[in-house]
Amino acid sequence: MPMAPLLPVIGSFAETYPAVDLRVIVDAVTSPLASVLEGTSMLGITGPLALQHQEIVTAPILTVQRVAVAAPSHPLARSNQPLTRRAITEHRQIVTWTRDQTGGSHPFRPTSTRAWQASDIGAKREMLLAGLGWGTMPLHIVEDDLASGRLVQLRLPPQIAAPWSTPLPLYLIRSVHHPQGPAGRWLFERIVSILGQH
């Protein structure tokens, strides 16, 4: 989730509710969906999995484009041949893992037969920059790395890239079982009104 679109809303929240403390959690291990279901977070931003829960109110706010990347020194980035499924699966993939709504931990399904797991998107980026493997990343996080040449976008056949080539929709969520006060309702409505236009 890119933070930039949220910052003006957070600034307005501080002016409107100066006595209300705000806690922003960015953590792949404690998934937003699980936190909202448990009531430990009043609001969350998450992917389509939230649509499967009747007790969760969802509002679409934006989409995130994902790309497959590797360090320039990585064999996949240096290859002059079209990348094949066999080539991709033979190289280590760096994947993130998250906690589902039941409290269990699981990695996102890897494309490669070899995978290392990172619980934080920042750690995953550092591992990719170090040439430890290839992986998919939100474009807004690696845009500068791609522009500077620190990372290279892998050109994969459509049938391989299909799982992540479609932009990922993100939803603002809240639980019907954990009522919000005026500040929480204001924040939900303001995020939807501003980010929902993107």
Side-chain angles (χ1 to χ4, degrees), residues 20-108:
V20 178
D21 292 331
L22 183 67
R23 182 176 59 174
V24 178
I25 302 173
V26 181
D27 186 354
V29 179
T30 306
S31 76
L33 178 57
S35 297
V36 170
L37 285 168
E38 294 166 358
T40 55
S41 296
M42 297 305 295
L43 301 178
I45 296 176
T46 190
L49 185 62
L51 300 175
Q52 301 176 13
H53 297 265
Q54 294 183 348
E55 67 270 40
I56 292 294
V57 176
T58 63
I61 51 173
L62 49 77
T63 59
V64 171
Q65 184 178 350
R66 296 163 292 173
V67 292
V69 297
S73 59
H74 193 277
L76 292 178
R78 298 199 317 263
S79 175
N80 294 322
Q81 302 297 322
L83 296 177
T84 63
R85 181 176 296 276
R86 179 177 179 180
I88 290 294
T89 57
E90 288 178 347
H91 288 276
R92 183 187 304 115
Q93 183 179 1
I94 311 298
V95 299
T96 49
W97 61 288
T98 185
R99 189 184 67 165
D100 62 25
Q101 68 272 17
T102 64
S105 299
H106 58 87
F108 290 108

Side-chain angles (χ1 to χ4, degrees), residues 1-14 22 24-26 43-45 61-62 170 172 186-188 190-192 194-196 198:
M1 166 69 200
M3 282 295 297
L6 278 177
L7 297 180
V9 181
I10 293 174
S12 296
F13 180 86
L22 183 67
V24 178
I25 302 173
V26 181
L43 301 178
I45 296 176
I61 51 173
L62 49 77
L170 295 181
L172 180 65
W186 182 96
L187 188 57
F188 187 94
R190 182 58 62 93
I191 291 174
V192 172
I194 295 179
L195 270 67
H198 286 65

Side-chain angles (χ1 to χ4, degrees), residues 23 29 34 83 125 129 132 142-143 160 169 177 180 189:
R23 182 176 59 174
V29 179
L83 296 177
R125 173 179 168 270
L129 288 168
L132 298 177
V142 296
E143 231 166 355
I160 297 176
H177 297 316
Q180 299 170 324
E189 292 169 1

